Amino acid sequence: MTSITITGFERSPDGGKGLARDTRVRWALEEVGQPYAVRLVSFAAMKEPSHLALHPFGQIPTYEEGDLALFETGAIVFHIAGRHPGLLPDDANARARAITWMFAALNTVEPPILDLTIARLLERDQPWSTERMPLVEDRVRDRLKQLSARLGDADWLDGGFSVGDLMMVSVLLRLRASGLLDEFPNLAAYVARGEARPAYQRAFAAQLAVYTGVPPAG
Protein backbone atom coordinates (compact mmCIF):
# COMPACT_ATOMS: atom_id res chain seq x y z
CA MET A 1 0.00 0.00 0.00
CA THR A 2 1.33 3.43 -0.97
CA SER A 3 1.76 5.66 2.06
CA ILE A 4 0.13 9.09 2.37
CA THR A 5 2.02 12.14 3.59
CA ILE A 6 0.47 15.54 4.20
CA THR A 7 2.05 18.78 5.33
CA GLY A 8 0.99 20.97 8.23
CA PHE A 9 2.22 24.01 10.12
CA GLU A 10 5.20 23.42 12.36
CA ARG A 11 3.62 26.00 14.65
CA SER A 12 -0.05 26.46 13.91
CA PRO A 13 -1.12 30.12 13.96
CA ASP A 14 -4.58 29.12 15.20
CA GLY A 15 -3.15 27.97 18.52
CA GLY A 16 -4.33 24.41 18.05
CA LYS A 17 -8.01 25.28 17.60
CA GLY A 18 -8.46 23.05 14.57
CA LEU A 19 -8.82 25.94 12.12
CA ALA A 20 -5.65 25.29 10.12
CA ARG A 21 -6.61 23.68 6.82
CA ASP A 22 -4.58 20.53 7.40
CA THR A 23 -7.26 19.64 9.99
CA ARG A 24 -9.78 19.25 7.16
CA VAL A 25 -7.51 16.79 5.39
CA ARG A 26 -6.76 14.94 8.62
CA TRP A 27 -10.50 14.67 9.27
CA ALA A 28 -11.19 13.26 5.81
CA LEU A 29 -8.45 10.66 6.17
CA GLU A 30 -9.73 9.69 9.62
CA GLU A 31 -13.28 9.31 8.28
CA VAL A 32 -12.17 6.88 5.58
CA GLY A 33 -9.75 5.04 7.87
CA GLN A 34 -6.56 5.78 5.96
CA PRO A 35 -3.26 6.07 7.85
CA TYR A 36 -1.09 9.04 7.01
CA ALA A 37 2.12 10.75 7.99
CA VAL A 38 2.50 14.48 8.59
CA ARG A 39 5.54 16.49 7.61
CA LEU A 40 5.61 19.73 9.58
CA VAL A 41 6.93 22.82 7.83
CA SER A 42 7.90 26.24 9.12
CA PHE A 43 6.80 29.49 7.48
CA ALA A 44 10.30 29.85 6.09
CA ALA A 45 10.32 26.31 4.70
CA MET A 46 6.99 26.95 2.97
CA LYS A 47 8.77 29.43 0.69
CA GLU A 48 11.65 27.13 -0.21
CA PRO A 49 11.85 25.49 -3.65
CA SER A 50 11.19 21.98 -2.34
CA HIS A 51 7.85 23.02 -0.87
CA LEU A 52 6.96 25.33 -3.74
CA ALA A 53 7.34 22.34 -6.04
CA LEU A 54 4.42 20.80 -4.11
CA HIS A 55 2.41 23.97 -3.51
CA PRO A 56 3.18 26.83 -5.92
CA PHE A 57 1.61 29.37 -3.56
CA GLY A 58 3.71 28.34 -0.58
CA GLN A 59 0.88 27.21 1.68
CA ILE A 60 -0.30 24.08 3.46
CA PRO A 61 -1.56 21.43 3.27
CA THR A 62 -0.10 19.33 0.52
CA TYR A 63 -0.80 15.66 -0.16
CA GLU A 64 1.64 13.07 -1.48
CA GLU A 65 0.80 9.48 -2.35
CA GLY A 66 3.23 7.62 -4.57
CA ASP A 67 3.85 9.77 -7.63
CA LEU A 68 0.76 11.89 -6.97
CA ALA A 69 1.20 15.32 -5.36
CA LEU A 70 -1.78 17.60 -4.69
CA PHE A 71 -2.36 21.01 -3.17
CA GLU A 72 -5.52 22.97 -2.25
CA THR A 73 -7.61 21.56 0.59
CA GLY A 74 -10.77 21.13 -1.45
CA ALA A 75 -8.98 19.20 -4.17
CA ILE A 76 -7.25 16.98 -1.61
CA VAL A 77 -10.43 16.19 0.31
CA PHE A 78 -12.31 15.57 -2.95
CA HIS A 79 -9.59 13.13 -4.00
CA ILE A 80 -9.76 11.29 -0.68
CA ALA A 81 -13.54 11.08 -0.83
CA GLY A 82 -13.47 9.76 -4.39
CA ARG A 83 -10.81 7.13 -3.75
CA HIS A 84 -12.05 5.68 -0.44
CA PRO A 85 -15.58 4.79 0.72
CA GLY A 86 -17.12 6.68 3.59
CA LEU A 87 -17.55 10.29 2.46
CA LEU A 88 -19.63 10.01 -0.71
CA PRO A 89 -22.99 8.22 -1.13
CA ASP A 90 -23.30 5.27 -3.49
CA ASP A 91 -26.31 6.75 -5.28
CA ALA A 92 -25.10 8.88 -8.20
CA ASN A 93 -27.50 11.77 -7.61
CA ALA A 94 -26.80 11.89 -3.88
CA ARG A 95 -23.11 11.76 -4.66
CA ALA A 96 -23.43 14.75 -6.97
CA ARG A 97 -25.34 16.69 -4.33
CA ALA A 98 -22.68 15.96 -1.70
CA ILE A 99 -20.02 17.32 -4.04
CA THR A 100 -22.19 20.37 -4.68
CA TRP A 101 -22.36 21.09 -0.95
CA MET A 102 -18.60 20.75 -0.68
CA PHE A 103 -18.13 23.43 -3.34
CA ALA A 104 -20.85 25.57 -1.76
CA ALA A 105 -18.95 25.51 1.53
CA LEU A 106 -15.73 26.67 -0.12
CA ASN A 107 -17.07 29.05 -2.77
CA THR A 108 -20.24 30.54 -1.26
CA VAL A 109 -20.13 30.27 2.53
CA GLU A 110 -16.42 30.58 3.34
CA PRO A 111 -15.50 33.81 1.44
CA PRO A 112 -17.60 36.19 3.61
CA ILE A 113 -16.41 34.34 6.72
CA LEU A 114 -12.78 34.85 5.70
CA ASP A 115 -13.56 38.49 5.00
CA LEU A 116 -14.86 38.79 8.55
CA THR A 117 -11.73 37.13 9.91
CA ILE A 118 -9.52 39.57 8.04
CA ALA A 119 -11.62 42.52 9.19
CA ARG A 120 -11.38 41.45 12.83
CA LEU A 121 -7.71 40.48 12.91
CA LEU A 122 -5.98 42.72 10.40
CA GLU A 123 -8.18 45.75 9.78
CA ARG A 124 -9.66 46.60 13.17
CA ASP A 125 -7.19 49.46 13.70
CA GLN A 126 -8.14 51.15 10.45
CA PRO A 127 -10.19 54.35 10.77
CA TRP A 128 -12.95 52.91 8.60
CA SER A 129 -13.18 49.61 10.47
CA THR A 130 -16.04 50.63 12.79
CA GLU A 131 -18.26 51.58 9.86
CA ARG A 132 -17.32 48.57 7.73
CA MET A 133 -17.66 45.84 10.36
CA PRO A 134 -21.50 45.74 10.47
CA LEU A 135 -21.56 45.37 6.70
CA VAL A 136 -19.12 42.47 6.82
CA GLU A 137 -21.06 40.78 9.60
CA ASP A 138 -24.36 41.18 7.76
CA ARG A 139 -22.93 39.49 4.67
CA VAL A 140 -22.07 36.51 6.85
CA ARG A 141 -25.52 36.58 8.45
CA ASP A 142 -27.17 36.53 5.03
CA ARG A 143 -25.35 33.31 4.14
CA LEU A 144 -26.10 31.78 7.54
CA LYS A 145 -29.81 32.60 7.20
CA GLN A 146 -29.92 30.83 3.86
CA LEU A 147 -27.98 27.83 5.11
CA SER A 148 -30.07 27.63 8.29
CA ALA A 149 -33.29 27.66 6.28
CA ARG A 150 -32.05 24.88 4.03
CA LEU A 151 -30.78 22.68 6.88
CA GLY A 152 -33.94 23.08 8.95
CA ASP A 153 -34.13 20.40 11.63
CA ALA A 154 -32.12 17.83 9.66
CA ASP A 155 -28.93 16.36 11.09
CA TRP A 156 -26.95 16.76 7.86
CA LEU A 157 -27.26 18.69 4.63
CA ASP A 158 -28.49 15.86 2.42
CA GLY A 159 -29.30 12.57 4.11
CA GLY A 160 -26.29 11.00 5.81
CA PHE A 161 -23.00 12.66 6.70
CA SER A 162 -20.87 13.33 3.63
CA VAL A 163 -17.88 15.25 2.36
CA GLY A 164 -20.23 18.22 1.98
CA ASP A 165 -20.87 18.25 5.72
CA LEU A 166 -17.20 17.77 6.52
CA MET A 167 -16.30 20.86 4.55
CA MET A 168 -19.27 22.94 5.69
CA VAL A 169 -18.65 22.22 9.38
CA SER A 170 -14.97 23.04 8.91
CA VAL A 171 -15.89 26.38 7.37
CA LEU A 172 -18.48 27.26 10.04
CA LEU A 173 -16.02 26.52 12.83
CA ARG A 174 -14.24 29.74 11.88
CA LEU A 175 -17.22 31.67 13.23
CA ARG A 176 -17.05 30.41 16.80
CA ALA A 177 -15.14 33.40 18.18
CA SER A 178 -17.47 35.88 16.46
CA GLY A 179 -20.63 34.68 18.19
CA LEU A 180 -22.56 34.84 14.91
CA LEU A 181 -23.10 31.10 14.79
CA ASP A 182 -24.99 31.25 18.10
CA GLU A 183 -27.66 33.34 16.38
CA PHE A 184 -28.65 30.20 14.45
CA PRO A 185 -29.24 27.34 16.93
CA ASN A 186 -29.72 24.70 14.26
CA LEU A 187 -26.37 25.58 12.67
CA ALA A 188 -24.64 25.63 16.05
CA ALA A 189 -26.06 22.16 16.74
CA TYR A 190 -25.00 21.03 13.26
CA VAL A 191 -21.41 22.08 13.91
CA ALA A 192 -21.49 20.37 17.32
CA ARG A 193 -22.58 17.12 15.65
CA GLY A 194 -19.63 17.36 13.29
CA GLU A 195 -17.21 18.02 16.14
CA ALA A 196 -18.60 15.03 18.05
CA ARG A 197 -17.68 12.57 15.31
CA PRO A 198 -14.81 10.32 16.44
CA ALA A 199 -12.89 11.01 13.22
CA TYR A 200 -13.03 14.75 13.86
CA GLN A 201 -11.95 14.24 17.46
CA ARG A 202 -8.89 12.30 16.30
CA ALA A 203 -8.02 14.93 13.68
CA PHE A 204 -8.43 17.77 16.16
CA ALA A 205 -6.31 16.02 18.80
CA ALA A 206 -3.54 15.40 16.28
CA GLN A 207 -3.47 19.03 15.19
CA LEU A 208 -3.62 20.25 18.79
CA ALA A 209 -0.66 18.02 19.68
CA VAL A 210 1.46 19.89 17.13
CA TYR A 211 0.81 23.12 18.98
CA THR A 212 1.08 21.84 22.55
CA GLY A 213 3.75 19.20 22.02
CA VAL A 214 1.59 16.74 23.97
CA PRO A 215 0.77 13.55 21.99
CA PRO A 216 -2.98 12.78 21.73
CA ALA A 217 -4.31 10.21 24.19
CA GLY A 218 -4.68 6.64 22.97
mmCIF file of all heavy atoms in Angstrom, residues 18-59:
data_model
loop_
_atom_site.group_PDB
_atom_site.id
_atom_site.type_symbol
_atom_site.label_atom_id
_atom_site.label_comp_id
_atom_site.label_asym_id
_atom_site.label_seq_id
_atom_site.Cartn_x
_atom_site.Cartn_y
_atom_site.Cartn_z
ATOM 1 N N GLY A 18 -7.889 23.850 15.642
ATOM 2 C CA GLY A 18 -8.465 23.048 14.567
ATOM 3 C C GLY A 18 -8.868 23.847 13.346
ATOM 4 O O GLY A 18 -9.581 23.336 12.477
ATOM 5 N N LEU A 19 -8.425 25.098 13.239
ATOM 6 C CA LEU A 19 -8.816 25.940 12.117
ATOM 7 C C LEU A 19 -7.831 25.899 10.956
ATOM 8 O O LEU A 19 -8.177 26.294 9.845
ATOM 9 C CB LEU A 19 -8.988 27.392 12.587
ATOM 10 C CG LEU A 19 -10.017 27.611 13.696
ATOM 11 C CD1 LEU A 19 -10.112 29.090 14.045
ATOM 12 C CD2 LEU A 19 -11.381 27.053 13.311
ATOM 13 N N ALA A 20 -6.615 25.439 11.208
ATOM 14 C CA ALA A 20 -5.647 25.290 10.116
ATOM 15 C C ALA A 20 -6.181 24.262 9.126
ATOM 16 O O ALA A 20 -6.782 23.254 9.511
ATOM 17 C CB ALA A 20 -4.296 24.860 10.667
ATOM 18 N N ARG A 21 -5.950 24.509 7.839
ATOM 19 C CA ARG A 21 -6.606 23.683 6.824
ATOM 20 C C ARG A 21 -6.122 22.235 6.780
ATOM 21 O O ARG A 21 -6.802 21.384 6.203
ATOM 22 C CB ARG A 21 -6.463 24.352 5.452
ATOM 23 C CG ARG A 21 -7.412 25.527 5.273
ATOM 24 C CD ARG A 21 -7.287 26.142 3.891
ATOM 25 N NE ARG A 21 -8.352 27.084 3.617
ATOM 26 C CZ ARG A 21 -8.365 28.348 3.989
ATOM 27 N NH1 ARG A 21 -7.341 28.828 4.667
ATOM 28 N NH2 ARG A 21 -9.376 29.142 3.699
ATOM 29 N N ASP A 22 -4.970 21.943 7.371
ATOM 30 C CA ASP A 22 -4.584 20.534 7.398
ATOM 31 C C ASP A 22 -5.556 19.719 8.238
ATOM 32 O O ASP A 22 -5.699 18.514 8.047
ATOM 33 C CB ASP A 22 -3.148 20.369 7.915
ATOM 34 C CG ASP A 22 -2.988 20.816 9.352
ATOM 35 O OD1 ASP A 22 -3.039 22.030 9.614
ATOM 36 O OD2 ASP A 22 -2.812 19.948 10.221
ATOM 37 N N THR A 23 -6.283 20.367 9.175
ATOM 38 C CA THR A 23 -7.263 19.640 9.986
ATOM 39 C C THR A 23 -8.357 19.054 9.117
ATOM 40 O O THR A 23 -8.848 17.949 9.366
ATOM 41 C CB THR A 23 -7.876 20.565 11.052
ATOM 42 O OG1 THR A 23 -6.832 21.130 11.849
ATOM 43 C CG2 THR A 23 -8.832 19.790 11.962
ATOM 44 N N ARG A 24 -8.741 19.753 8.057
ATOM 45 C CA ARG A 24 -9.777 19.248 7.158
ATOM 46 C C ARG A 24 -9.307 17.973 6.456
ATOM 47 O O ARG A 24 -10.076 17.024 6.287
ATOM 48 C CB ARG A 24 -10.140 20.314 6.128
ATOM 49 C CG ARG A 24 -10.607 21.618 6.729
ATOM 50 C CD ARG A 24 -10.879 22.677 5.672
ATOM 51 N NE ARG A 24 -11.246 23.961 6.277
ATOM 52 C CZ ARG A 24 -11.651 25.033 5.626
ATOM 53 N NH1 ARG A 24 -11.723 24.985 4.292
ATOM 54 N NH2 ARG A 24 -11.966 26.142 6.260
ATOM 55 N N VAL A 25 -8.052 17.971 6.053
ATOM 56 C CA VAL A 25 -7.510 16.787 5.388
ATOM 57 C C VAL A 25 -7.353 15.645 6.392
ATOM 58 O O VAL A 25 -7.680 14.489 6.088
ATOM 59 C CB VAL A 25 -6.170 17.118 4.718
ATOM 60 C CG1 VAL A 25 -5.547 15.878 4.099
ATOM 61 C CG2 VAL A 25 -6.361 18.206 3.654
ATOM 62 N N ARG A 26 -6.870 15.967 7.567
ATOM 63 C CA ARG A 26 -6.763 14.938 8.619
ATOM 64 C C ARG A 26 -8.129 14.305 8.877
ATOM 65 O O ARG A 26 -8.248 13.085 8.993
ATOM 66 C CB ARG A 26 -6.243 15.565 9.916
ATOM 67 C CG ARG A 26 -4.810 16.075 9.897
ATOM 68 C CD ARG A 26 -4.529 16.778 11.215
ATOM 69 N NE ARG A 26 -3.265 17.480 11.290
ATOM 70 C CZ ARG A 26 -2.123 16.974 11.766
ATOM 71 N NH1 ARG A 26 -2.101 15.726 12.192
ATOM 72 N NH2 ARG A 26 -1.029 17.704 11.823
ATOM 73 N N TRP A 27 -9.152 15.151 8.990
ATOM 74 C CA TRP A 27 -10.502 14.667 9.272
ATOM 75 C C TRP A 27 -10.977 13.728 8.167
ATOM 76 O O TRP A 27 -11.510 12.640 8.444
ATOM 77 C CB TRP A 27 -11.442 15.854 9.437
ATOM 78 C CG TRP A 27 -12.846 15.510 9.866
ATOM 79 C CD1 TRP A 27 -13.334 14.287 10.228
ATOM 80 C CD2 TRP A 27 -13.947 16.410 9.990
ATOM 81 N NE1 TRP A 27 -14.655 14.369 10.567
ATOM 82 C CE2 TRP A 27 -15.056 15.658 10.436
ATOM 83 C CE3 TRP A 27 -14.083 17.780 9.769
ATOM 84 C CZ2 TRP A 27 -16.314 16.256 10.658
ATOM 85 C CZ3 TRP A 27 -15.332 18.362 9.999
ATOM 86 C CH2 TRP A 27 -16.431 17.608 10.423
ATOM 87 N N ALA A 28 -10.773 14.117 6.922
ATOM 88 C CA ALA A 28 -11.192 13.260 5.810
ATOM 89 C C ALA A 28 -10.485 11.908 5.859
ATOM 90 O O ALA A 28 -11.116 10.852 5.673
ATOM 91 C CB ALA A 28 -10.922 13.960 4.475
ATOM 92 N N LEU A 29 -9.198 11.917 6.113
ATOM 93 C CA LEU A 29 -8.448 10.661 6.174
ATOM 94 C C LEU A 29 -8.901 9.805 7.347
ATOM 95 O O LEU A 29 -8.979 8.572 7.243
ATOM 96 C CB LEU A 29 -6.949 10.954 6.266
ATOM 97 C CG LEU A 29 -6.314 11.504 4.982
ATOM 98 C CD1 LEU A 29 -4.928 12.066 5.263
ATOM 99 C CD2 LEU A 29 -6.239 10.411 3.908
ATOM 100 N N GLU A 30 -9.226 10.449 8.464
ATOM 101 C CA GLU A 30 -9.728 9.694 9.618
ATOM 102 C C GLU A 30 -11.096 9.084 9.320
ATOM 103 O O GLU A 30 -11.390 7.955 9.722
ATOM 104 C CB GLU A 30 -9.813 10.605 10.844
ATOM 105 C CG GLU A 30 -8.468 11.100 11.372
ATOM 106 C CD GLU A 30 -7.669 10.018 12.086
ATOM 107 O OE1 GLU A 30 -8.192 8.906 12.283
ATOM 108 O OE2 GLU A 30 -6.512 10.294 12.450
ATOM 109 N N GLU A 31 -11.941 9.818 8.608
ATOM 110 C CA GLU A 31 -13.281 9.306 8.282
ATOM 111 C C GLU A 31 -13.210 8.062 7.410
ATOM 112 O O GLU A 31 -14.029 7.151 7.548
ATOM 113 C CB GLU A 31 -14.111 10.380 7.575
ATOM 114 C CG GLU A 31 -14.602 11.509 8.469
ATOM 115 C CD GLU A 31 -15.785 11.111 9.356
ATOM 116 O OE1 GLU A 31 -16.319 9.996 9.188
ATOM 117 O OE2 GLU A 31 -16.169 11.933 10.218
ATOM 118 N N VAL A 32 -12.254 8.022 6.499
ATOM 119 C CA VAL A 32 -12.166 6.881 5.581
ATOM 120 C C VAL A 32 -11.182 5.823 6.076
ATOM 121 O O VAL A 32 -10.931 4.832 5.391
ATOM 122 C CB VAL A 32 -11.797 7.331 4.155
ATOM 123 C CG1 VAL A 32 -12.846 8.293 3.614
ATOM 124 C CG2 VAL A 32 -10.409 7.959 4.106
ATOM 125 N N GLY A 33 -10.603 6.045 7.254
ATOM 126 C CA GLY A 33 -9.745 5.035 7.873
ATOM 127 C C GLY A 33 -8.412 4.831 7.190
ATOM 128 O O GLY A 33 -7.883 3.709 7.180
ATOM 129 N N GLN A 34 -7.841 5.907 6.638
ATOM 130 C CA GLN A 34 -6.562 5.783 5.956
ATOM 131 C C GLN A 34 -5.432 6.340 6.826
ATOM 132 O O GLN A 34 -5.494 7.492 7.256
ATOM 133 C CB GLN A 34 -6.588 6.547 4.628
ATOM 134 C CG GLN A 34 -7.445 5.892 3.568
ATOM 135 C CD GLN A 34 -6.955 4.501 3.207
ATOM 136 O OE1 GLN A 34 -5.800 4.309 2.827
ATOM 137 N NE2 GLN A 34 -7.840 3.520 3.347
ATOM 138 N N PRO A 35 -4.398 5.549 7.089
ATOM 139 C CA PRO A 35 -3.257 6.067 7.847
ATOM 140 C C PRO A 35 -2.485 7.090 7.023
ATOM 141 O O PRO A 35 -2.487 7.042 5.785
ATOM 142 C CB PRO A 35 -2.422 4.813 8.100
ATOM 143 C CG PRO A 35 -2.771 3.882 6.980
ATOM 144 C CD PRO A 35 -4.220 4.146 6.667
ATOM 145 N N TYR A 36 -1.832 7.992 7.714
ATOM 146 C CA TYR A 36 -1.088 9.040 7.012
ATOM 147 C C TYR A 36 0.027 9.558 7.906
ATOM 148 O O TYR A 36 -0.029 9.448 9.137
ATOM 149 C CB TYR A 36 -2.017 10.192 6.622
ATOM 150 C CG TYR A 36 -2.696 10.873 7.787
ATOM 151 C CD1 TYR A 36 -2.185 12.055 8.340
ATOM 152 C CD2 TYR A 36 -3.849 10.327 8.354
ATOM 153 C CE1 TYR A 36 -2.801 12.674 9.407
ATOM 154 C CE2 TYR A 36 -4.465 10.942 9.435
ATOM 155 C CZ TYR A 36 -3.948 12.119 9.960
ATOM 156 O OH TYR A 36 -4.561 12.724 11.031
ATOM 157 N N ALA A 37 1.030 10.098 7.280
ATOM 158 C CA ALA A 37 2.121 10.754 7.993
ATOM 159 C C ALA A 37 2.000 12.253 7.767
ATOM 160 O O ALA A 37 1.421 12.701 6.774
ATOM 161 C CB ALA A 37 3.468 10.247 7.493
ATOM 162 N N VAL A 38 2.542 13.023 8.696
ATOM 163 C CA VAL A 38 2.503 14.480 8.585
ATOM 164 C C VAL A 38 3.927 15.019 8.616
ATOM 165 O O VAL A 38 4.692 14.701 9.517
ATOM 166 C CB VAL A 38 1.690 15.118 9.726
ATOM 167 C CG1 VAL A 38 1.644 16.641 9.553
ATOM 168 C CG2 VAL A 38 0.278 14.546 9.775
ATOM 169 N N ARG A 39 4.257 15.807 7.620
ATOM 170 C CA ARG A 39 5.538 16.493 7.605
ATOM 171 C C ARG A 39 5.290 17.955 7.972
ATOM 172 O O ARG A 39 4.598 18.684 7.255
ATOM 173 C CB ARG A 39 6.197 16.393 6.228
ATOM 174 C CG ARG A 39 7.602 17.006 6.189
ATOM 175 C CD ARG A 39 8.330 16.736 4.887
ATOM 176 N NE ARG A 39 7.707 17.363 3.741
ATOM 177 C CZ ARG A 39 6.993 16.725 2.826
ATOM 178 N NH1 ARG A 39 6.804 15.420 2.901
ATOM 179 N NH2 ARG A 39 6.456 17.372 1.795
ATOM 180 N N LEU A 40 5.825 18.375 9.099
ATOM 181 C CA LEU A 40 5.609 19.730 9.579
ATOM 182 C C LEU A 40 6.590 20.688 8.914
ATOM 183 O O LEU A 40 7.775 20.369 8.786
ATOM 184 C CB LEU A 40 5.761 19.786 11.093
ATOM 185 C CG LEU A 40 4.816 18.875 11.883
ATOM 186 C CD1 LEU A 40 5.112 18.968 13.367
ATOM 187 C CD2 LEU A 40 3.355 19.216 11.596
ATOM 188 N N VAL A 41 6.089 21.841 8.507
ATOM 189 C CA VAL A 41 6.930 22.822 7.831
ATOM 190 C C VAL A 41 6.804 24.170 8.519
ATOM 191 O O VAL A 41 5.732 24.547 8.991
ATOM 192 C CB VAL A 41 6.571 22.955 6.331
ATOM 193 C CG1 VAL A 41 6.898 21.684 5.578
ATOM 194 C CG2 VAL A 41 5.103 23.301 6.157
ATOM 195 N N SER A 42 7.890 24.894 8.570
ATOM 196 C CA SER A 42 7.899 26.241 9.124
ATOM 197 C C SER A 42 7.438 27.223 8.051
ATOM 198 O O SER A 42 7.354 26.888 6.863
ATOM 199 C CB SER A 42 9.301 26.612 9.598
ATOM 200 O OG SER A 42 10.185 26.687 8.487
ATOM 201 N N PHE A 43 7.186 28.470 8.465
ATOM 202 C CA PHE A 43 6.801 29.487 7.483
ATOM 203 C C PHE A 43 7.939 29.738 6.502
ATOM 204 O O PHE A 43 7.707 29.979 5.320
ATOM 205 C CB PHE A 43 6.404 30.779 8.199
ATOM 206 C CG PHE A 43 5.041 30.704 8.833
ATOM 207 C CD1 PHE A 43 4.908 30.521 10.198
ATOM 208 C CD2 PHE A 43 3.897 30.808 8.067
ATOM 209 C CE1 PHE A 43 3.653 30.441 10.781
ATOM 210 C CE2 PHE A 43 2.636 30.730 8.634
ATOM 211 C CZ PHE A 43 2.520 30.551 10.006
ATOM 212 N N ALA A 44 9.158 29.668 6.990
ATOM 213 C CA ALA A 44 10.303 29.849 6.094
ATOM 214 C C ALA A 44 10.405 28.704 5.093
ATOM 215 O O ALA A 44 10.634 28.922 3.897
ATOM 216 C CB ALA A 44 11.587 29.961 6.900
ATOM 217 N N ALA A 45 10.214 27.485 5.573
ATOM 218 C CA ALA A 45 10.318 26.310 4.697
ATOM 219 C C ALA A 45 9.229 26.299 3.633
ATOM 220 O O ALA A 45 9.429 25.758 2.531
ATOM 221 C CB ALA A 45 10.256 25.034 5.529
ATOM 222 N N MET A 46 8.085 26.908 3.935
ATOM 223 C CA MET A 46 6.990 26.945 2.970
ATOM 224 C C MET A 46 7.346 27.765 1.729
ATOM 225 O O MET A 46 6.686 27.627 0.692
ATOM 226 C CB MET A 46 5.729 27.500 3.636
ATOM 227 C CG MET A 46 5.106 26.530 4.637
ATOM 228 S SD MET A 46 3.929 27.330 5.761
ATOM 229 C CE MET A 46 2.730 27.995 4.637
ATOM 230 N N LYS A 47 8.370 28.599 1.826
ATOM 231 C CA LYS A 47 8.770 29.427 0.693
ATOM 232 C C LYS A 47 9.994 28.876 -0.030
ATOM 233 O O LYS A 47 10.478 29.484 -0.981
ATOM 234 C CB LYS A 47 9.059 30.855 1.169
ATOM 235 C CG LYS A 47 7.923 31.472 1.981
ATOM 236 C CD LYS A 47 6.570 31.408 1.272
ATOM 237 C CE LYS A 47 5.462 31.971 2.154
ATOM 238 N NZ LYS A 47 4.114 31.785 1.520
ATOM 239 N N GLU A 48 10.479 27.730 0.423
ATOM 240 C CA GLU A 48 11.647 27.127 -0.206
ATOM 241 C C GLU A 48 11.253 26.335 -1.450
ATOM 242 O O GLU A 48 10.116 25.865 -1.564
ATOM 243 C CB GLU A 48 12.368 26.227 0.806
ATOM 244 C CG GLU A 48 12.990 27.008 1.966
ATOM 245 C CD GLU A 48 13.635 26.096 2.994
ATOM 246 O OE1 GLU A 48 13.518 24.848 2.842
ATOM 247 O OE2 GLU A 48 14.226 26.622 3.949
ATOM 248 N N PRO A 49 12.179 26.161 -2.393
ATOM 249 C CA PRO A 49 11.854 25.485 -3.653
ATOM 250 C C PRO A 49 11.239 24.092 -3.484
ATOM 251 O O PRO A 49 10.345 23.719 -4.254
ATOM 252 C CB PRO A 49 13.213 25.416 -4.360
ATOM 253 C CG PRO A 49 13.975 26.585 -3.832
ATOM 254 C CD PRO A 49 13.555 26.713 -2.395
ATOM 255 N N SER A 50 11.714 23.341 -2.501
ATOM 256 C CA SER A 50 11.193 21.981 -2.340
ATOM 257 C C SER A 50 9.707 21.982 -2.002
ATOM 258 O O SER A 50 8.952 21.126 -2.470
ATOM 259 C CB SER A 50 11.982 21.244 -1.254
ATOM 260 O OG SER A 50 11.889 21.931 -0.017
ATOM 261 N N HIS A 51 9.290 22.954 -1.195
ATOM 262 C CA HIS A 51 7.854 23.021 -0.866
ATOM 263 C C HIS A 51 7.064 23.679 -1.992
ATOM 264 O O HIS A 51 5.930 23.255 -2.295
ATOM 265 C CB HIS A 51 7.637 23.788 0.440
ATOM 266 C CG HIS A 51 6.203 23.755 0.897
ATOM 267 N ND1 HIS A 51 5.640 22.647 1.488
ATOM 268 C CD2 HIS A 51 5.210 24.690 0.819
ATOM 269 C CE1 HIS A 51 4.363 22.888 1.771
ATOM 270 N NE2 HIS A 51 4.083 24.120 1.370
ATOM 271 N N LEU A 52 7.642 24.681 -2.629
ATOM 272 C CA LEU A 52 6.955 25.334 -3.741
ATOM 273 C C LEU A 52 6.731 24.383 -4.911
ATOM 274 O O LEU A 52 5.807 24.568 -5.708
ATOM 275 C CB LEU A 52 7.748 26.555 -4.203
ATOM 276 C CG LEU A 52 7.785 27.732 -3.225
ATOM 277 C CD1 LEU A 52 8.751 28.801 -3.722
ATOM 278 C CD2 LEU A 52 6.396 28.316 -3.021
ATOM 279 N N ALA A 53 7.557 23.349 -5.005
ATOM 280 C CA ALA A 53 7.343 22.338 -6.035
ATOM 281 C C ALA A 53 6.058 21.553 -5.768
ATOM 282 O O ALA A 53 5.439 21.027 -6.699
ATOM 283 C CB ALA A 53 8.538 21.392 -6.085
ATOM 284 N N LEU A 54 5.661 21.475 -4.495
ATOM 285 C CA LEU A 54 4.420 20.797 -4.114
ATOM 286 C C LEU A 54 3.236 21.753 -4.097
ATOM 287 O O LEU A 54 2.122 21.396 -4.474
ATOM 288 C CB LEU A 54 4.571 20.156 -2.730
ATOM 289 C CG LEU A 54 5.590 19.036 -2.593
ATOM 290 C CD1 LEU A 54 5.745 18.650 -1.122
ATOM 291 C CD2 LEU A 54 5.161 17.819 -3.411
ATOM 292 N N HIS A 55 3.470 22.963 -3.613
ATOM 293 C CA HIS A 55 2.414 23.971 -3.510
ATOM 294 C C HIS A 55 2.951 25.291 -4.056
ATOM 295 O O HIS A 55 3.717 25.971 -3.393
ATOM 296 C CB HIS A 55 1.986 24.151 -2.057
ATOM 297 C CG HIS A 55 0.646 24.807 -1.900
ATOM 298 N ND1 HIS A 55 0.312 25.988 -2.543
ATOM 299 C CD2 HIS A 55 -0.449 24.453 -1.183
ATOM 300 C CE1 HIS A 55 -0.924 26.323 -2.222
ATOM 301 N NE2 HIS A 55 -1.410 25.414 -1.402
ATOM 302 N N PRO A 56 2.591 25.650 -5.271
ATOM 303 C CA PRO A 56 3.180 26.825 -5.917
ATOM 304 C C PRO A 56 2.896 28.139 -5.205
ATOM 305 O O PRO A 56 3.573 29.135 -5.456
ATOM 306 C CB PRO A 56 2.548 26.815 -7.316
ATOM 307 C CG PRO A 56 1.312 25.982 -7.182
ATOM 308 C CD PRO A 56 1.620 24.960 -6.153
ATOM 309 N N PHE A 57 1.929 28.135 -4.282
ATOM 310 C CA PHE A 57 1.605 29.366 -3.564
ATOM 311 C C PHE A 57 2.194 29.379 -2.156
ATOM 312 O O PHE A 57 1.916 30.288 -1.373
ATOM 313 C CB PHE A 57 0.087 29.563 -3.517
ATOM 314 C CG PHE A 57 -0.527 29.591 -4.888
ATOM 315 C CD1 PHE A 57 -1.304 28.528 -5.337
ATOM 316 C CD2 PHE A 57 -0.313 30.653 -5.747
ATOM 317 C CE1 PHE A 57 -1.855 28.533 -6.597
ATOM 318 C CE2 PHE A 57 -0.867 30.678 -7.018
ATOM 319 C CZ PHE A 57 -1.629 29.609 -7.448
ATOM 320 N N GLY A 58 3.007 28.366 -1.843
ATOM 321 C CA GLY A 58 3.710 28.344 -0.577
ATOM 322 C C GLY A 58 2.819 28.246 0.639
ATOM 323 O O GLY A 58 3.038 28.938 1.640
ATOM 324 N N GLN A 59 1.812 27.390 0.567
ATOM 325 C CA GLN A 59 0.882 27.213 1.681
ATOM 326 C C GLN A 59 0.828 25.744 2.093
ATOM 327 O O GLN A 59 1.534 24.894 1.542
ATOM 328 C CB GLN A 59 -0.504 27.730 1.286
ATOM 329 C CG GLN A 59 -0.526 29.219 0.944
ATOM 330 C CD GLN A 59 -1.872 29.682 0.439
ATOM 331 O OE1 GLN A 59 -2.624 28.930 -0.185
ATOM 332 N NE2 GLN A 59 -2.187 30.940 0.699
#
